[in-house]
Structures are given as structure tokens and as C-alpha cells.
Amino acid sequence: MLLLLASGCITVDKQSGEIYIAMPAPSAPLPDEKQVLRQEVDIAAAAVARKDYDTAERILLGALERRRGKLEPGDDETVSLLVLLAETHLRKGRFEMARSVITRALVIANPTGPLDEPSSQRSAHFRLGRGYEAAGHDADAEEHYYKGLQVCQDDPEYEDRGECNIERSALIRVFVANGRYKDAEPLVLKRVASAQYAHGAHDIRLAQVLAEAAGFYSRQGKYRLSQPLFARGLAIWTNVHEEARDMHYAAIQAGLPSPFSARFVTPRQGHFPFTVPFGLDSQATVLTRLNRSADAAKALELQKNLWMADTRAEQSALDVLAEADRSSDALAQIRALQTVGYAYFNKGRYTRAANYYSKALVKLEALWTQLDVLGHREMLADYLANYDNLAVIERSTRRYSNAVRLYGRALQVAARNLDPGDALYLNEFANLATVYREMGELQPALDYARRFYDRVRKARPPGSPDRAWALRNIGYVHLLRGDIETSRQFESRALAVWQQGRQSLAGPMPARQTTSTAQ
């Protein structure tokens, strides 16, 4: 990588990070100072991205030394240097130095700007929020995300386009990770309102945000709040997805930008926007928990039919993988492998799905301990889905011991990284109960069914569908053991809980209890 300076050229070796300086010929034209600063920002940003913080710091400090005494309001290049330096300090655990540097940056930064350019107050707060979150300093992360959100909301141009939902999503992630669902809920609902204002009430992007809001409630076991949101998103997607798909591909074929963002149209695990409705793969579980087994079967059938009708999903997933392989981003490569695995999994091509999922899992297990807190949070749901889908494949071929191992590993990861009331954690107990039941090993099946109930009872209010489902699971194991009367008792209790839930929506979370009443 080459960088022109007034005094010569800097070459940064990509492998070693070493910096070499060569003086120009006397007749060589001198570049503009701002151009030099922009180039230094680009090189430093690349060094930060590859975690080469020492190289980034040397470049940034050198550039800032030349800017000493020249700081002016609106100096985007200097702001970018300061923000990147603050990021570097955060990554190296130097929090007080980061605060000092960012204070200087915020004094001269313009309020708003795109987040991919570290030259505005909004971008500075967002980047620092991510830096603090990565370091596990959630209070500081929350402060900066909120300040960035406020700056964004104060600019109608950004709020009207729905761009402030990026900051809202970051705050929701922090709150959910800490079990602060009440703090997250207003932001979840504001995301829906903002998306509807920005894109209209019948836009495919609104369908995605509605599905994400539905998922927020599902993770708390509030399926009666979740399901209507999903249903509205499903109706929107059904009506507009073909038109949206045609608009996207027509623009691409004409050499024009897509009307949708690159992130929206790029497939990933759980997100094939023109193939299936957002969140459809979780609806069978939601409807089953609501004791609507016939509707759950219809959701599975719809999902299967839509995947079978699609002719582009597999190739688009492979294209994502090819692009990731051309990069040196390990996480991008893992996500791409999961994307291909997910496409083959939903196409029913389990052998191929297992191949890509297994490759992704090997890479992610090796990388997991190297990821920071933010990396864990951003990858966790896909990590667990990787284990769970591989376990489903193993169950389909009766390799139950492999399925037990995969579910067990998923439970360990979930226990270390999720709130005890998060459905992603609780469901791993139900998965293990199910696979042991399929194996005919009824004692461990009963043990895990009881553990599932015990944790659900602590995390959910009395009328929760999760409580009813957990009771039914215990009753089913008793049925398989031939204990008909006990099975009927648990089924009666389950039906009573479902009835109670239908009479009133879930209320406040109960105080946590320490003993189980399940027998």
C-alpha cells in the first residue's frame, strides 16, 4: 500500500506492517495536504480493521503531529484521525486516553454524516459505542450509542430515511444481551415506525423490521405479541416480494444501483429476502408453543414450497462465498459458509448442507475465543443455528449421538452468552429432551424435560405458552414410559396454562424461584 506525503512516499508492507519511506525526485509534484490526510486515514482504518493497532497508531500520531495548532471546526480529515486514534486506544484497553482524544474530536466535528466515514459526531459516537461494547463496557457503549442516536434524530434528513435505526439496533443489542427487555422495547417499536415512515406501509423492508420485532418478543416467550407482527410482515412480503425482486434485478442488469441496500439484498443465514418471508423459519416453533399445531404444519409446508420454487438461492449463496473467499475476513468466510449451508438445508440437500455447516463450525470454534464481546453478540445466533441445523441433519439419519453432542455444545455456548430467560438458551434444553426421546433413552429425556420446565418456570409468567409446552414435554415422556395417568395429569396442566394465557397477555416477569415443582 502506497501513501504520498509532502516529504516522500510511505509504503506499508501488508504482511509485516513495516513502514518504508522513499524521498521523491526534486521535480515530483507535492500532493494537497488534505489528500495526504485522507490517504493516511484510509491506511490507518485498514490497519485497525486487521487489528494491527501499532501500525495504525504510528500513522495517526504522525499525522496529528503535523496538524498541531491547525485544528478548525469542520476539519473532517483531522476528526477522522482522532476518531480512529480513539478506537485504537479502546482496542488496546486505554480507556482514559480514548476519552481524551474523542473529546477533542467532538469539539470540531460536524454533527451528522454517514457512519462509514469517521468524520462526524454521529459516526464518532457510533464507533466509540462499538469499541466500548467490544471491550465489555456496556454503560459507556450505551452512552455513546444514545448520543449518536440523538444527533441522528436531530437531522431530519437522516431520520426521515430511517438511518437512525442503525443506532437503535445497537442499543437493542446491548439491552437484550443484559436482559433489559423493557428498555429495548420502545426502541424496537420505534424501529417499526421509522421504517414505515421511511419506506411506506407496503414495502418489503418494513416486512423485515416487523419480523425482527416479532423475534424480539419471541425470545422473551411473548408469542401472542410476536405472532401478529410476523403475520403483518408476512402479508406485506407476500404482496410485494416479486415486484421488489424484479426491481432489484432490473436495476442490476441495467448497470444501475439497486433500490435496496447491499446489506438487504445480500443473502445470509436466515435472510433470503426474495425467497422466503423474514422469520418464517421460526414460525412453526412459535405456533406450536401457542398450541396451534395445524397452523405450525402450514408454516412448515409454506417454507418448504417457497424454497423448492426458488431457482436462485443456492447460486446467490455460492456467489457470497466466492466473494468472501477473495477477502481475508475470517468472519465473512464463516458467515458465507453458513449461508450456503442454510440454503442447502432448506432445499433438503442435507449432505451438502452438512459439508458447508461443518466447515463453518470448525472455523468458528477455532475463532470464537479470539472474538471480543461485540463479535460474540453479532455471531451468537448464527453460531447456535449452525449447531442446531447440523443436529437436525444428524437426527434425520439417526446419528443421535452426534446430535446430542451438537446440542450439548450449543447449550454450553448459550449458557455462557445469553440471559437465562432468552428463548435461544431455553430451547437447547428442549432440543436435548427431544433427541433423547427419539433415541428411546427416556430417563435423560425426562431429566432434560424437567430442566427445561424448571428454567421456564423461573423465566416466564404463569400463563406463558412456554410453561404449557414444557409441561406437555414432561407428559409426553411419561406417556412413552407407559405411565398413562401421570402423562394425563401433565397434559391437563399444560392445557390449563394455555387457557390461562389466552385470557390475558403475559404480565410482569415473576420473581426467580429456586426449586422445581415438576415431578
Side-chain angles (χ1 to χ4, degrees):
M1 186 178 295
L2 184 64
L3 172 61
L4 298 176
L5 298 176
S7 57
C9 297
I10 288 181
T11 301
V12 181
D13 186 279
K14 293 182 179 179
Q15 300 296 324
S16 66
E18 294 296 324
I19 300 176
Y20 304 94
I21 301 178
M23 298 305 296
S27 60
L30 296 179
D32 174 78
E33 183 179 7
K34 285 188 177 293
Q35 178 187 351
V36 171
L37 288 172
R38 292 189 194 104
Q39 292 173 318
E40 288 175 304
V41 167
D42 290 343
I43 290 181
V48 170
R50 66 174 184 269
K51 300 184 179 181
D52 185 359
Y53 304 124
D54 290 338
T55 295
E57 188 172 8
R58 288 200 300 271
I59 294 171
L60 294 167
L61 290 175
L64 288 167
E65 179 63 27
R66 298 198 312 277
R67 298 295 294 162
R68 185 188 295 272
K70 300 180 182 180
L71 300 185
E72 299 176 356
D75 184 347
D76 289 350
E77 290 75 21
T78 303
V79 172
S80 297
L81 293 169
L82 289 167
V83 171
L84 287 170
L85 182 59
E87 278 192 87
T88 301
H89 287 323
L90 285 177
R91 298 292 183 174
K92 299 179 82 169
R94 300 189 299 221
F95 300 106
E96 290 303 321
M97 295 177 70
R99 290 189 183 95
S100 174
V101 170
I102 203 58
T103 299
R104 294 167 59 196
L106 292 173
V107 168
I108 62 173
N110 290 317
T112 53
L115 291 180
D116 58 355
E117 297 177 7
S119 56
S120 67
Q121 293 178 18
R122 179 193 177 209
S123 178
H125 284 305
F126 185 74
R127 286 168 176 262
L128 288 189
R130 287 181 65 83
Y132 278 116
E133 188 180 357
H137 288 228
D138 281 345
D140 291 311
E142 179 183 341
E143 176 186 353
H144 282 286
Y145 286 145
Y146 260 127
K147 287 181 177 178
L149 175 59
Q150 186 60 58
V151 170
C152 187
Q153 291 177 146
D154 288 343
D155 189 327
E157 178 184 355
Y158 283 88
E159 179 66 292
D160 291 352
R161 292 202 303 259
E163 292 197 23
C164 304
N165 275 349
I166 299 174
E167 284 89 347
R168 293 186 185 104
S169 296
L171 283 162
I172 292 166
R173 181 179 60 239
V174 172
F175 291 149
V176 169
N178 289 280
R180 294 169 57 188
Y181 298 107
K182 289 185 179 179
D183 292 325
E185 186 173 26
L187 294 165
V188 171
L189 299 178
K190 180 61 177 177
R191 284 189 78 240
V192 174
S194 178
Q196 179 165 319
Y197 184 87
H199 306 304
H202 305 284
D203 189 277
I204 193 171
R205 288 163 290 193
L206 175 60
Q208 178 189 12
V209 176
L210 284 164
E212 290 168 351
F216 167 77
Y217 286 113
S218 290
R219 287 181 66 170
Q220 302 171 68
K222 295 183 177 181
Y223 306 115
R224 294 182 184 88
L225 297 178
S226 167
Q227 217 284 316
L229 290 165
F230 170 78
R232 184 184 168 201
L234 173 61
I236 294 171
W237 185 91
T238 301
N239 289 330
V240 305
H241 77 279
E242 291 181 346
E243 179 184 0
R245 178 196 62 204
D246 293 345
M247 288 171 56
H248 166 68
Y249 285 112
I252 298 303
Q253 290 171 4
L256 301 173
S258 171
F260 308 104
S261 70
R263 175 168 176 75
F264 180 84
V265 299
T266 301
R268 57 185 180 275
Q269 181 165 239
H271 179 88
F272 278 71
F274 305 128
T275 301
V276 289
F278 310 100
L280 180 59
D281 54 1
S282 66
Q283 282 309 292
T285 297
V286 170
L287 292 165
T288 299
R289 298 291 169 87
L290 290 170
N291 200 27
R292 294 167 54 184
S293 56
D295 290 332
K298 291 178 182 177
L300 289 173
E301 186 68 16
L302 174 61
Q303 182 177 357
K304 176 183 176 181
N305 291 341
L306 288 171
W307 274 101
M308 291 302 104
D310 185 273
T311 59
R312 285 177 164 153
E314 292 160 296
Q315 186 56 54
S316 62
L318 290 169
D319 290 343
V320 170
L321 179 58
E323 183 175 350
D325 284 342
R326 290 192 290 269
S327 76
S328 58
D329 188 336
L331 284 178
Q333 293 168 359
I334 291 168
R335 289 190 181 99
L337 287 166
Q338 291 173 333
T339 300
V340 178
Y342 181 79
Y344 282 130
F345 179 82
N346 282 283
K347 284 283 191 178
R349 304 174 71 176
Y350 280 177
T351 301
R352 291 193 177 191
N355 178 40
Y356 286 99
Y357 268 139
S358 297
K359 289 179 180 178
L361 197 55
V362 168
K363 289 176 177 288
L364 189 49
E365 285 180 332
L367 188 63
W368 188 253
T369 57
Q370 302 173 38
L371 296 179
D372 53 35
V373 172
L374 178 58
H376 284 167
R377 290 174 181 174
E378 292 183 327
M379 290 296 297
L380 183 59
D382 284 336
Y383 194 9
L384 296 176
N386 203 148
Y387 280 120
D388 291 348
N389 289 346
L390 267 176
V392 169
I393 294 171
E394 297 294 344
R395 286 165 57 192
S396 73
T397 55
R398 299 182 181 275
R399 293 193 289 252
Y400 294 119
S401 60
N402 288 343
V404 168
R405 177 181 58 81
L406 290 162
Y407 283 139
R409 177 61 179 146
L411 177 59
Q412 292 174 355
V413 172
R416 286 197 292 266
N417 293 278
L418 290 172
D419 177 78
D422 196 313
L424 294 181
Y425 166 65
L426 295 172
N427 287 345
E428 297 301 344
F429 290 97
N431 289 337
L432 282 159
T434 298
V435 71
Y436 275 118
R437 197 172 64 226
E438 292 174 348
M439 295 170 71
E441 296 194 18
L442 299 183
Q443 186 55 53
L446 183 59
D447 291 343
Y448 274 105
R450 286 171 172 166
R451 291 172 68 183
F452 177 49
Y453 174 77
D454 187 48
R455 283 157 179 79
V456 163
R457 191 174 59 83
K458 294 174 184 177
R460 301 284 188 259
S464 168
D466 280 337
R467 285 196 177 204
W469 180 248
L471 288 165
R472 173 170 282 179
N473 269 267
I474 296 173
Y476 191 31
V477 178
H478 281 293
L479 177 65
L480 294 175
R481 296 176 69 171
D483 190 348
I484 307 300
E485 183 57 34
T486 302
S487 175
R488 286 175 177 168
Q489 291 173 5
F490 276 99
E491 179 64 14
S492 295
R493 291 172 63 187
L495 293 173
V497 172
W498 269 311
Q499 180 63 27
Q500 179 183 3
R502 281 192 291 269
Q503 292 172 351
S504 63
L505 289 175
M509 297 283 283
R512 288 188 176 175
Q513 303 170 39
T514 56
T515 60
S516 172
T517 59
Q519 299 298 319

